Structures are given as structure tokens and as C-alpha cells.
Amino acid sequence: MEFLKTLGQVQLVGIALLVGVVGYVYNVLRSPLNKVPGPWYASWTNIVTKYHFLTGCNPTYIHSLHSKYGPVVRIGPNDVDVADPVAAQTIHRIKDEFLKSEFYTQFLPGVTNIFNCVNRDHHRRYRRLLSSPLSETGLKPMLPQIDSRVRFGIQRMGEEMKSRGAVDICKWWMFMTTDIIGELTFGESFKMLELGRKNQYIKDLEGSAFIGGLRATFPLLSKLSFYVPIPFFWKAGPITGRLAMYSRDSIQRQRTLLEENPDMAPTLFSKMFKAKSEDSLSGVELEDNAQAYIVGGSDTTAMSLTYLVWAVCRDPQIKEKLVNELQTRLSDDFSYDDVKELPYLNQVIEETTRIYAAAPSGLPRTVPSGGASLAGYWIPGGATVLTQAYSLHRSEAFPDPERFDPSRWENPTKAMKDSMMPFGGGSRICLGVHLARIELRLATARFFRAFPNAIVSELEGMSDRDMDQDLFFLITPRGHRCLIQAN
Ligand code: HEM
């Protein structure tokens, strides 16, 4: 009797499994996304993209799919990558119809800020309250602070060049950008340039983009990791906890500083401390958004500067042209206004953000419920569409796309401009774009004015292999260093 009962239960489980499998297969075979080209396995699983994420090669893998299948390619059962500039603009429209996908919630669990919030109204409120101090006009009063940190960074690089024979620009740009965003956000820098060596804070910042991408790519494992230790994930909790703590402590310190000295130099958050509650963010919101600033505002700019200097130093003609412009067009006491419009400097920066986009990976968005036609393909509502700068920046608009060639920006075509998305687009375009451009211009100008003969060093075994790119959510040189020397 007991045996028959068990047999019945096994049969029931077997039937349920069979129904599940048949249902799954039926859904896969009938999916409207089947018309989108892509490898056969993409209809069944996105495990291959997940694997490539882990190896730091996902953007190059997806780019190889575009080379084979065209500008719209299916990369998972519900995921489509789009490398068509017009379709990318539709996805990233200011009207905000394609909302950020759940990827972003997983990126930073337990925190809601301007970067990861999905809700349209919440985002609009953040944007309304936070945009003005980071606009070009809003940043003007902060130019002296930014420039002073840039000068100090260059001075510290010079010191290392003397003592070591070469300078690790990757490290110093990271210290500089961290100090700048710290000072502008909290009123006090993290004093990394003074310290001159990586501490826990820098290690946490460096790890945060990888951890965020890891969590968002493996949401189930991420949840499980709260209960059982899982390789790779075990660092995530402590890093997130410490980043939250840095923000909390720094916001509290700013509050105290402001009480002690109401006339202290303005910060990106000053107005929030003084405003009425409806025009302000709560304490927790300030802390959460501070995290978006310190994480989003350090690595990105630092890695852009690192690849810029490396690429320029490798090509004597490009370096000569840039140095010549900086030496002939600038006086010794130049300021930001003098560098802002320098044509070749801006071309070098544009080309760096193209080929070494600091955020090269797909930016996932959910297709609105009515579905959308993108580059000739019908994509149903609820599907996830991704656009990756890595592919857009290598579109047909750029002949010989792997060549670092700033002069291609002398007279850019419309197609070139339309293909560029280094700072994202539409309503979710990078909030720090103006700050990033100020830092890139000032730091590049001051670096090549100070070290016009800079070359890539071969000291300590430094080679081009160190600069191979790890592409997780952000770009990182695989060797985690870039040694430059000058005489
Ligand atoms: C070269 C430097 C930088 C690059 C390449 C860059 C790139 C990007 C990209 C691609 C996005 C869009 C992400 C998405 O749609 O998922 C973004 C968003 C954002 N970035 Fe940057 N970023 C840079 C510097 C900065 C700086 C200096 C800050 C400092 C405040 C910053 C703060 C933010 C914030 C808060 C967002 C979210 C904006 C929103 O969703 O409304 N970024 N950035």
C-alpha cells in the first residue's frame, strides 16, 4: 500500500516536471524574439554571456556576435543587444519609456539612488534635486578646488617619477579623482593624494563595479550568498557595508562642518542641508546618493585618463601635436577657461572616450508594454534590450575602428556623433558628465605640460599586456598599473 502511494507521488512529480518542460519548450519555440538573429543557444539560456562576464570579456563577446549576426542580436531568452545608433537613441530617449531593468536593483541591493533606481518618478525627483550643482554653471565655483587637486596630483606623480624612475598613473589618477569627488561631495577630500598608497577605501572602490556587475548578472547566487559562503561573492557584503559606512560618516561630518562653519565652501549637497524638506533629500537618501557619486565619479574618470595618457604616449606624432598645442596656446598660469575649447585636446579626449569607453558594457532597459520596433525587428514588451558603448563606438561610422586616431574628430560626421554614447543617453545620461569633462581636460593639459617627453615605461616588466582590458561593468587595465616615465 505504502509502496503504491510512493509510486503515485513519484508519478505526480514526474508529470509536473514533464508539463513544466513541455511548457518551457513551447514558450521558447513560440517566443516573438525567435525572429531576432543570434546563436541557437541564446533562445534557451544566457549562461554564455554570464560566463563571459566572469572572464571580463562580455562586451567583446557580444561585439563578435554583432559582427556575425548584424546590429540586433539575441543574447539570451529575453535579452537583445542593439548596436544600431538610431535604435539606441530610441531606447535612451529623454521621454524615459524604456526603464532601467531589474539589473540595476540587483547592482546595489538595499540602496536606492539616482543611478540604480528604476521608478520614473523617483528618478525625476533625484534628477531635479541633484542636477544643478553638477551642471556647467553649478560647477564653476568649484573649479579652483578641482584644479588645485589636479595640480597636486601632477606634483605627486613627478615625485614618484624621480624616486622610482617611472610613475604608475593608474594609481595616481584614481587617487586624484577620488579626492576630487570626495571634496566636492562632502567638503573634505579623502586625502588619497597625501597618503599616496592604496588603502581599504580605494580597494573597495576598485572592487565595487565588479561586485555590482556580478550581483546583477547572478541575482540568485547573490541572494543565496547572504546565507552561504559562495566564491567571488564573499567579498560583496563587506564592500557594500563599508561603502555605505564611508558615505554615512562623510555626510555626518559634513553636517557638523556646516554647523560649525556655515560659510564653508559649497559642496554638491550644500543646498540639501539648507533646503526645506520638500526640496531636499532625507539623510538616508543623501547617503545613498553620495555612494552613486563616489563610486561613479572615481574609477570612470581615472581609467579614462589612464588609457588617454597611455595611448598618447605610444604614438609620438599624436603626442607631439598635443604637446605643441598645449605649449603654444597656453600661458604658464592657464586656467580651465583656457583649455576648455582647445581643439586637439578635445579630439584626444573624444577619441579616448570612444575607444576606451569607461563604461563599455550593455546598459539594460525594459521594453515598454506595447513593444517596440528597433532597427527593423519587433521586440515585445517586457524584453530586455541592451546597448553597449563598446559596439556602438566601433560602428561603420568609424573606419579602422581599433585605431586611436584623434584627428577623426576634426570634422565629425552626423553618423559619428550619433554613434557615441560614452556617458549613456537620454534622461539617464551621466549626471557627472560636465565634471568628468572638466577633470579630463585639466588633468590631460597639466600632465602633458609637466611631462612633454612622457613615454610608456618598460621598468618593472611593464608592457602592453598590462593594458589589456578587463571589461566588467567598467574598464580596467588587466595589469592594474600603467607605468609612464619622462626625462
Ligand atoms: C569619464 C567619466 C565617466 C563616464 C565614462 C561615465 C559614464 C556613465 C554612464 C555610461 C552612465 C549611464 C549608466 C546607465 O545608463 O546605466 C552614467 C551614469 C551616472 N554617472 Fe557617470 N560617468 C563618468 C563620470 C562620472 C562622474 C565624475 C560622476 C560624479 C558625480 C558620475 C555620476 C553618475 C551618476 C550619478 C549616474 C546616474 C545618472 C542617472 O541615472 O540619472 N559619473 N555615467
Side-chain angles (χ1 to χ4, degrees):
M1 198 62 191
E2 194 58 29
F3 169 73
L4 283 178
K5 204 170 150 194
T6 312
L7 193 67
Q9 280 169 346
V10 170
Q11 275 175 338
L12 267 181
V13 171
I15 290 168
L17 270 176
L18 193 68
V19 169
V21 170
V22 170
Y24 181 71
V25 172
Y26 179 78
N27 278 338
V28 167
L29 297 180
R30 281 184 44 102
S31 167
L33 287 179
N34 288 348
K35 295 207 172 90
V36 178
W40 65 267
Y41 47 81
S43 323
W44 299 90
T45 175
N46 52 16
I47 192 93
V48 181
T49 49
K50 287 180 192 267
Y51 163 76
H52 283 100
F53 169 82
L54 282 181
T55 59
C57 300
N58 204 30
T60 43
Y61 160 68
I62 288 171
H63 190 59
S64 73
L65 296 182
H66 282 302
S67 308
K68 190 166 173 191
Y69 296 102
V72 179
V73 62
R74 189 175 188 185
I75 57 170
N78 198 38
D79 308 324
V80 173
D81 197 86
V82 177
D84 175 86
V86 177
Q89 281 173 9
T90 305
I91 294 168
H92 295 280
R93 262 202 295 244
I94 204 86
K95 278 164 80 182
D96 210 2
E97 292 145 323
F98 292 68
L99 297 181
K100 281 195 170 182
S101 77
E102 275 305 302
F103 173 94
Y104 290 88
T105 319
Q106 307 295 339
F107 199 94
L108 260 182
V111 170
T112 308
N113 62 31
I114 185 161
F115 169 74
N116 79 336
C117 83
V118 173
N119 182 287
R120 192 182 286 127
D121 294 333
H122 290 173
H123 177 255
R124 281 189 185 150
R125 175 169 164 265
Y126 286 148
R127 203 80 200 190
R128 178 172 61 78
L129 293 172
L130 295 173
S131 297
S132 127
L134 274 162
S135 66
E136 268 191 282
T137 323
L139 284 165
K140 262 197 180 148
M142 298 177 176
L143 284 175
Q145 284 163 277
I146 301 171
D147 200 12
S148 134
R149 282 277 123 189
V150 172
R151 284 165 191 255
F152 188 41
I154 304 293
Q155 180 196 320
R156 298 289 277 144
M157 289 188 191
E159 288 165 16
E160 184 166 297
M161 263 194 216
K162 272 200 191 115
S163 60
R164 185 178 176 183
V167 57
D168 180 2
I169 55 165
C170 187
K171 174 183 80 180
W172 288 105
W173 290 137
M174 186 69 184
F175 293 165
M176 185 197 80
T177 54
T178 302
D179 277 358
I180 290 175
I181 195 64
E183 188 164 338
L184 300 193
T185 310
F186 304 118
E188 262 187 351
S189 96
F190 291 106
K191 301 216 171 5
M192 292 312 308
L193 286 171
E194 281 87 346
L195 186 65
R197 63 177 164 74
K198 289 190 184 183
N199 58 8
Q200 189 60 50
Y201 177 64
I202 289 289
K203 287 180 194 158
D204 287 346
L205 277 184
E206 285 180 340
S208 60
F210 170 70
I211 291 294
L214 187 71
R215 278 181 159 148
T217 311
F218 300 96
L220 210 64
L221 286 181
S222 171
K223 278 182 193 138
L224 260 179
S225 71
F226 286 105
Y227 308 102
V228 275
I230 299 179
F232 285 119
F233 283 89
W234 65 271
K235 278 186 183 168
I239 290 186
T240 313
R242 281 193 298 266
L243 284 175
M245 186 192 71
Y246 299 131
S247 302
R248 199 170 46 244
D249 291 354
S250 303
I251 290 287
Q252 270 164 17
R253 206 165 38 245
Q254 182 173 174
R255 213 182 281 279
T256 315
L257 282 174
L258 206 63
E259 276 162 18
E260 285 166 3
N261 176 14
D263 297 327
M264 73 181 260
T267 71
L268 298 173
F269 284 161
S270 301
K271 281 190 190 146
M272 297 290 150
F273 289 103
K274 295 175 190 163
K276 291 192 200 112
S277 60
E278 67 271 19
D279 289 328
S280 185
L281 298 174
S282 70
V284 174
E285 285 177 319
L286 280 177
E287 288 163 22
D288 285 358
N289 279 290
Q291 273 195 62
Y293 285 17
I294 58 178
V295 175
S298 46
D299 236 359
T300 46
T301 316
M303 293 313 119
S304 303
L305 280 167
T306 302
Y307 275 103
L308 183 153
V309 170
W310 176 72
V312 169
C313 286
R314 289 172 83 214
D315 190 317
Q317 280 175 351
I318 293 176
K319 188 175 65 185
E320 194 188 326
K321 195 167 171 187
L322 178 63
V323 168
N324 186 40
E325 181 179 79
L326 297 172
Q327 285 179 339
T328 54
R329 301 274 299 263
L330 297 175
S331 61
D332 283 345
D333 58 349
F334 71 86
S335 68
Y336 178 65
D337 282 341
D338 303 313
V339 297
K340 196 176 160 196
E341 307 289 348
L342 286 181
Y344 197 62
L345 172 69
N346 281 306
Q347 288 165 31
V348 168
I349 291 172
E350 198 64 9
E351 183 66 345
T352 304
T353 61
R354 180 187 75 81
I355 196 165
Y356 303 112
S361 317
L363 307 177
R365 299 291 190 268
T366 306
V367 177
S369 56
S373 173
L374 297 170
Y377 292 95
W378 177 253
I379 313 291
T384 302
V385 280
L386 301 94
T387 47
Q388 57 168 22
Y390 189 92
S391 292
L392 287 163
H393 294 182
R394 284 162 175 78
S395 79
E396 285 166 1
F398 305 102
D400 199 359
E402 294 304 332
R403 191 156 152 247
F404 182 78
D405 177 14
S407 59
R408 70 170 88 231
W409 292 103
E410 243 168 54
N411 289 305
T413 59
K414 182 172 180 307
M416 285 165 75
K417 289 190 210 160
D418 286 351
S419 298
M420 284 294 280
M421 256 188 57
F423 294 98
S427 59
R428 305 301 295 246
I429 196 168
C430 176
L431 190 71
V433 56
H434 302 296
L435 174 59
R437 288 203 185 279
I438 291 172
E439 291 184 59
L440 291 172
R441 288 179 182 132
L442 269 176
T444 307
R446 294 219 177 275
F447 182 89
F448 283 103
R449 285 277 298 204
F451 312 113
N453 301 320
I455 52 167
V456 180
S457 178
E458 289 177 1
L459 272 183
E460 302 171 27
M462 167 78 198
S463 76
D464 282 357
R465 274 207 308 281
D466 284 290
M467 298 302 287
D468 284 349
Q469 301 157 26
D470 266 338
L471 305 173
F472 294 107
F473 191 66
L474 301 178
I475 192 174
T476 321
R478 204 156 277 169
H480 297 282
R481 63 174 184 170
C482 179
L483 297 186
I484 298 289
Q485 65 186 61
N487 47 35

